[in-house]
Each structure stands twice: as C-alpha cells, then as structure tokens.
C-alpha cells in the first residue's frame, strides 16, 4: 500500500493544507509520496520533505504546470497512479478541480471531503451541508479522496526525505491560462487562521468591514464574510465562509452581524469557540455560539477593539 | 435548501419522505446561463437532462418553463454515484454532441463536487469549474473561475464543460404562461440501463449519523464580560 498526496501551493508558496492531508494519509498507514506540480517550486519541495511521514517528494517542475490547469495535471497524475493504492488531494478549489478528473480517467468513484479516516477503506464525510455525517466504505481497488484539511491537525516535522524530479509534462491544447487576479491580504489565510472574525449583511456596507480590521490586527485574525455580505458586494468572494465558500475550523470564530443560515454554519460550526454578535436575539447563530452578545455591532466593535 | 435535513432514526440515511424537493440551486444557475447564451444568439438549442426517478420530471418542467427547448429524463431507481452519472451523461453527450455542457459545481445533498470534472475527463473535453463569468467567442470560451486566492481566467476550446459557481448569474423565475407552455415541450424518457453503463455501487454507505451537538452557549451582557470569558474561561485569546 502506498499513498500519493497532491500538494497544494499557489505559485510555489506551499499551503498548510498539504501537511494536513499528509496527516490524514498517515492515518491510512501506507507509505506516503507527495507530488508537487508547478513551476519554480524548489522551496516548496524542500518544505514538503520535512513533513513527518513523507517518504519521497516527487516534483514535476515545468512551465506547462505553472497554473496547474486540470487537463495537464490530471494526465500527469494518471501516468503515476499505478503505483498507489490511495490518491489524496486537499478539498481546496484546485484539489476539487483536478481530482475528480483523475478519478474518472482511472475509472474510480471518488470520496469527497473526508473529515476522518476509520480505516484504509472507510472514511467519514459530511453530507447535506454538514447536517449528516456519512461513514462510507470504498469498494474500489484504488481510493481517490479529497480531504477537508480543517478536520486534521498539522503533523510534526522530520529530517528531510528524498526529493525526486519528474520529467513528465505534456501540455494539453484544449485549455490555456489567460489571467489571474489575487486578492491582496496581509492577514493570515482564512483556512489556516487560528482566529477568524467574519461580517455579514449586518455590516451594512463594505466600508464598515474596516471596523473588523483593528480587532483582527489585535488578535492576529483573518477576516471572513457570509455569502450575504459577498453577494451584496461588501467584500470579495474569496472571503466567503460557508458550504459554497471556505470551510474553516479555527480556535475562535467571531460572527458579527451574521444570522447563521444553514449554509454559513456548514462552513464554521467545527470551530472550537464561536462568538456571535447580533442584535436579533432570535438569530440562529446563537444556537451554535458558545458566547453570544445581543447588541448593535456598531457599538460593540469599537468597544471590543478597545478592550483587547 | 432551506429545509433542515434530519438523519433517519435507523442511521441508514437522511429522511427524505415528505420533504420538499427543488432544483439544486447551482443547477438553476446552469440553466439560466444556458438560456442567456441562447438569448445572446450564441446557441441554437438548450437541452436539459436529469437522472433519477419520475420525480425529476417536475425539475425538468421547471427548466423548460425557464426557457430550455427540450428535456431528457434518464430514468433509474438506483442511487447513483457521481461517476455513474458522469458516465451516463458522457453517453448522452456522444449522442447529442452539444458544444457546451453546463452543470452546477456541486449538489447540496451529497456535496460531492465531482460530476462536471468527471464528465470532462470521460469526454476528453477541457473544463471550466466554479465559473463566475462565461464568455462565448467564436469557437472559444473564456471562463473566469472562483479560486481560493481570487479569480482565475482560462480559455477553453469548444466543445467544453463548465460548472457554475453562485455568482455566475441571478436565475429568473418562471412566468405562469411559460409554465403552461412548458407542459407541451418535448420530454423524452430513456431507461438508464439502455446506455450499457455498469451502475453497480463502488462506494457503500455504512452509516449516517447526526453531527456532534455543540454544548449550549451562554449569553453575555457586555463586551467586558465577553473578553473576560474568552481570556479566562475559553482561553482562546491572550
């Protein structure tokens, strides 16, 4: 039994998701190789080599992989797949984009967004926006799995393992990269942050999100948003926490002016401590909050910033 | 999607008896986008497809009322996995040869987010997943995708597969006259078995449980008490 983990990185900057997926793969008990696909990714490869449990880092460094287009990456992975009983990727947008393509090319059913490993064939995953937890057993000879990284801890470090360069890399002509616009942020990434403060429709407009910044700075927190706030154009969509946005599980999640729709709760209800600040005492968010404060956020936020 | 799903007492699944069903919200967006492309004169026909039992006629009629030209129901009583659905759709794509197939990015019951990507693989077509902007331009498709760090635009050669994200468009409502007209539009029913695809299960659901319940929280009276609790009781801030 050997596992292949597809590394998550953004233009060579390694994401914590990779290590967490390695941790999930560790629980399967197979030897783990990590595949890093991209261009100019030497630093990321060196970091992966120090994640406890990694046996070998396979590096496909080629200009055709710079934007990790699914068509090219899937063909590469399928060429390697024969050696592995398990293929893992994080349930990030890039993992979700490429892994089902790989699964279909291998003629395997995929298991999405596992939150626990029961044994090498059996996994737990949330369904119906987290309202049910299904225990599923894969009958496939080869398991193709995406991992909800927020459900797994970071593994320890090890002395660096081997790094092997791969020579493969064929560009498919069917899709090509045009442009990318990254949202600039000096704060920690939402999915990796220990503390998150999120605003909802109650923030009323985009400018008011600056009220969250002072608090975020003091707590070293990332700033998130509900779908309502994104759809209203207050903030960009990559800040969205929820079933259709990012799934997070920080130590502390502060929901400000968020009512707590099922879809939002699906994205944050595994947070360790949840604080809700809302002026509506009947808002559903209070049902999952450890600490609730029924008050106007425009009074609370400046006071909270001062008190920290 | 406003219904709170309840786990069955025998833990075999979610209780779906007498629960209100509707078209998956991402699929509504897919139908809307297809109709908009046709309205822009860039498509000649919109065909909607659903796989499942008879109950999906209602969803297909809804799509017809919104502006789709005809519907195909691939009938099966089996509980299919994404791979099976993708294989059935791939056969249909072979028959109908559409230039563009639009799917929702995920269904909000199984939350799998697989079918579109799998269909793209099986039909050897490029994929534009999590689309928030789709522009059709003489044999090419520019798709702006919602990715974790922001937005990414890719160009796909047609034929291609696109899956929709929430912000692609705002789906319209069906008007009463259009709902009446939709009843006369063609809806073909095909037996899933007739496609010759192996539909035997590859994944077994052993158990469906309630998620762990959170301990009930407390309401604090002011900011000072909140900060005190976070510092000393929950110990999540310094």
């Amino acid at each position: 039994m050997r596992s292949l983990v597809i590394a998550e990185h953004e233009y060579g900057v390694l994401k914590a998701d990779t290590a967490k997926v390695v941790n999930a793969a560790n629980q399967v008990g197979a030897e783990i190789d990590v595949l890093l696909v991209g261009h100019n990714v030497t630093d990321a490869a060196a970091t992966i080599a120090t994640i406890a449990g990694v046996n070998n880092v396979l590096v496909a460094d080629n200009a055709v992989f710079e934007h990790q287009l699914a068509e090219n990456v899937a063909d590469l992975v399928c060429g390697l797949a024969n050696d592995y009983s398990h293929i893992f990727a994080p349930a990030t947008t890039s993992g979700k984009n490429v892994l089902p393509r790989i699964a279909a090319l291998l003629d395997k059913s995929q298991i999405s967004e596992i939150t626990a490993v029961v044994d090498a064939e059996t996994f737990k995953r949330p369904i119906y926006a987290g309202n049910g937890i299904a225990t599923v057993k894969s009958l496939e000879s080869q398991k193709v799995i995406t991992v909800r990284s927020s459900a797994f801890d970071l593994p320890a470090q090890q002395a660096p393992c081997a790094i092997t360069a791969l020579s493969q890399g064929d560009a498919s002509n069917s899709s090509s990269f045009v442009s990318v616009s990254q949202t600039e942020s000096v704060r920690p990434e939402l999915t990796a942050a220990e503390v998150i403060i999120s605003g909802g429709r109650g923030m009323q407009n985009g400018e008011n999100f600056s009220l969250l910044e002072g608090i975020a700075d003091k707590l070293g927190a990332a700033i998130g948003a509900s779908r309502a706030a994104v759809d209203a154009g207050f903030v960009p969509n990559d800040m969205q926490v929820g079933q259709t946005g990012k799934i997070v599980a920080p130590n502390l999640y502060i929901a400000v002016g968020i009512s707590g729709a099922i879809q939002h709760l699906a994205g944050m209800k595994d947070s360790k401590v949840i604080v809700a600040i809302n002026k509506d005492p009947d808002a559903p968010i209070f049902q999952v909050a450890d600490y609730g404060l029924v008050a106007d956020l425009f009074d609370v936020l400046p006071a909270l910033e001062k008190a920290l | 999607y406003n219904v709170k799903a309840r786990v069955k007492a025998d833990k075999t699944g979610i209780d779906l008896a007498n629960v209100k069903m509707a078209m998956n919200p991402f699929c509504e967006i897919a139908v809307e986008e297809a109709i908009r492309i046709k309205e822009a004169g860039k498509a000649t026909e919109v065909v909607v497809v659903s796989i499942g039992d008879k109950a999906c006629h209602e969803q297909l009629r809804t799509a017809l009322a919104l502006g789709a030209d005809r519907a195909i129901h691939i009938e099966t009583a089996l509980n299919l996995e994404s791979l099976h659905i993708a294989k059935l759709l791939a056969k249909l794509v072979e028959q109908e040869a559409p230039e563009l197939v639009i799917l929702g990015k995920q269904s909000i019951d199984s939350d799998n987010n697989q079918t579109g990507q799998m269909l793209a693989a099986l039909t050897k077509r490029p994929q534009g997943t999590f689309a928030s902007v789709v522009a059709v331009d003489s044999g090419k498709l520019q798709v702006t995708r919602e990715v974790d760090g922001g937005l990414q635009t890719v160009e796909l050669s047609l034929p291609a597969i696109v899956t929709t994200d929430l912000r692609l468009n705002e789906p319209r409502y069906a008007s009463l006259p259009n709902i009446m007209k939709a009843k006369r539009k063609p809806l073909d029913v095909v037996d899933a078995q007739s496609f010759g695809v192996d539909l035997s299960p590859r994944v077994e659901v052993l158990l469906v449980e309630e998620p762990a319940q959170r301990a009930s929280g407390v309401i604090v009276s002011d900011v000072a008490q909140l900060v005190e609790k976070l510092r000393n009781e929950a110990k999540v801030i310094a």
Side-chain angles (χ1 to χ4, degrees):
Chain A
M1 263 197 342
R2 281 170 76 197
S3 293
L4 183 69
V5 170
I6 301 173
E8 173 79 10
H9 70 98
E10 222 171 65
Y11 296 102
V13 180
L14 193 70
K15 303 286 173 180
D17 302 278
T18 307
K20 290 180 175 181
V21 176
V22 167
N23 196 6
N26 258 325
Q27 296 177 25
V28 165
E31 198 167 88
I32 299 167
D33 290 352
V34 178
L35 172 66
L36 177 62
V37 186
H39 190 43
N40 298 329
V41 289
T42 316
D43 292 350
T47 313
I48 295 169
T50 64
I51 299 169
V54 179
N55 174 63
N56 193 358
V57 186
L58 310 174
V59 183
D61 190 331
N62 190 315
V64 302
F65 296 136
E66 186 174 5
H67 306 289
Q68 300 174 58
L69 297 179
E71 295 78 7
N72 303 336
V73 177
D75 288 347
L76 170 80
V77 175
C78 287
L80 302 169
N82 263 343
D83 298 341
Y84 299 96
S85 60
H86 293 70
I87 301 174
F88 293 96
T92 52
T93 48
S94 82
K96 289 179 194 172
N97 185 38
V98 72
L99 206 65
R101 191 170 180 109
I102 294 166
L105 291 173
L106 298 173
D107 191 23
K108 299 288 181 275
S109 248
Q110 176 184 306
I111 297 182
S112 289
E113 303 229 12
I114 63 160
T115 52
V117 175
V118 178
D119 60 39
E121 281 149 9
T122 318
F123 306 91
K124 292 191 183 215
R125 62 176 303 263
I127 54 174
Y128 287 85
N131 285 304
I133 307 294
T135 303
V136 294
K137 180 176 177 176
S138 170
L139 309 175
E140 300 281 17
S141 56
Q142 203 170 26
K143 279 74 172 165
V144 181
I145 295 165
T146 62
V147 177
R148 180 173 289 186
S149 42
S150 65
F152 294 88
D153 295 329
L154 281 171
Q157 296 211 315
Q158 65 176 13
C161 69
I163 296 176
T164 311
L166 301 175
S167 57
Q168 287 98 327
D170 289 322
S172 120
N173 295 320
S174 60
S175 110
S176 60
F177 172 79
V178 177
S179 67
V180 66
S181 73
Q182 304 281 99
T183 307
E184 297 290 325
S185 177
V186 289
R187 297 212 164 74
E189 264 210 83
L190 264 179
T191 48
E194 293 288 302
V195 180
I196 295 173
I197 182 161
S198 281
R201 201 196 304 271
M203 298 301 293
Q204 291 179 6
N205 59 47
E207 286 78 67
N208 288 336
F209 267 75
S210 62
L211 295 170
L212 304 178
E213 284 171 9
I215 299 169
D217 287 342
K218 287 193 169 168
L219 295 174
I223 298 182
S226 69
R227 184 184 155 195
V230 173
D231 282 352
F234 299 173
V235 291
N237 64 279
D238 52 336
M239 287 171 65
Q240 184 187 322
V241 171
Q243 186 185 15
T244 59
K246 294 198 171 79
I247 312 279
V248 300
N251 277 331
L252 173 60
Y253 187 92
I254 306 175
V256 184
I258 293 176
S259 65
I262 295 172
Q263 293 83 353
H264 187 74
L265 300 183
M268 46 64 80
K269 70 184 168 54
D270 292 322
S271 305
K272 194 167 153 237
V273 173
I274 298 172
V275 170
I277 299 169
N278 203 306
K279 63 182 174 192
D280 173 10
D282 298 322
I285 190 80
F286 287 118
Q287 289 164 23
V288 300
D290 300 280
Y291 302 106
L293 180 52
V294 182
D296 189 333
L297 65 95
F298 295 103
D299 300 330
V300 171
L301 290 177
L304 181 59
E305 186 178 342
K306 209 184 265 176
L308 291 170
Chain B
Y1 51 92
N2 286 320
V3 176
K4 176 138 169 77
R6 300 212 178 277
V7 172
K8 283 188 199 169
D10 64 2
K11 297 190 177 180
T12 55
I14 299 285
D15 192 355
L16 297 176
N18 304 317
V19 172
K20 186 173 160 39
M21 294 290 166
M23 197 191 301
N24 184 49
F26 292 103
C27 300
E28 287 183 345
I29 294 169
V31 170
E32 175 68 28
E33 193 66 18
I35 295 164
R36 287 187 191 191
I37 291 172
K38 188 185 169 195
E39 285 170 347
K42 307 218 161 154
T44 49
E45 189 187 30
V46 175
V47 183
V48 285
V49 186
S50 185
I51 302 175
D53 62 19
K54 282 235 157 45
C56 52
H57 283 208
E58 196 188 328
Q59 309 336 324
L60 288 171
R61 289 285 174 207
T62 304
L64 292 171
L66 293 171
D69 298 292
R70 61 188 169 94
I72 299 170
H73 171 210
I74 301 178
E75 189 172 10
T76 176
L78 297 169
N79 212 347
L80 296 182
E81 293 159 28
S82 302
L83 183 65
H84 300 138
I85 293 168
K87 285 184 172 182
L88 291 171
L89 292 176
K91 294 275 185 191
L92 196 69
V93 165
E94 214 174 278
Q95 287 171 19
E96 297 277 341
E99 285 234 71
L100 179 59
V101 184
I102 313 181
L103 303 87
K105 77 164 174 181
Q106 74 190 64
S107 64
I108 58 168
D109 48 4
S110 62
D111 284 335
N112 272 327
N113 196 329
Q114 299 175 2
T115 306
Q117 294 90 314
M118 288 179 158
L119 177 62
L122 297 172
T123 54
K124 301 189 173 59
R125 294 178 170 203
Q127 65 189 52
T129 52
F130 321 133
S132 61
V133 182
V134 173
V136 188
D137 185 24
S138 58
K140 296 267 184 198
L141 200 63
Q142 286 223 346
V143 179
T144 300
R145 308 178 50 235
E146 297 197 4
V147 295
D148 285 335
L151 298 169
Q152 182 197 55
T153 303
V154 292
E155 188 170 88
L156 310 179
S157 58
L158 288 169
I161 311 289
V162 164
T163 73
T164 62
D165 216 319
L166 277 171
R167 275 159 289 275
L168 180 56
N169 60 48
E170 188 83 37
R172 69 192 71 186
Y173 290 98
S175 67
L176 191 57
N178 284 344
I179 292 172
M180 301 310 289
K181 269 188 225 157
K183 294 188 180 177
R184 293 193 301 274
K185 288 185 179 177
L187 192 163
D188 293 332
V189 181
V190 200
D191 184 4
Q193 301 295 343
S194 70
F195 286 87
V197 172
D198 173 15
L199 300 175
S200 55
R202 314 281 198 95
V203 174
E204 204 180 325
V205 178
L206 303 179
L207 192 70
V208 177
E209 299 163 288
E210 295 261 356
Q213 293 297 316
R214 293 187 74 94
S216 56
V218 294
I219 296 290
V220 296
S221 54
D222 55 28
V223 170
Q225 197 190 355
L226 175 64
V227 172
E228 192 272 324
K229 292 247 187 214
L230 289 177
R231 271 203 182 112
N232 303 320
E233 194 175 280
K235 299 193 197 318
V236 283
I237 59 173

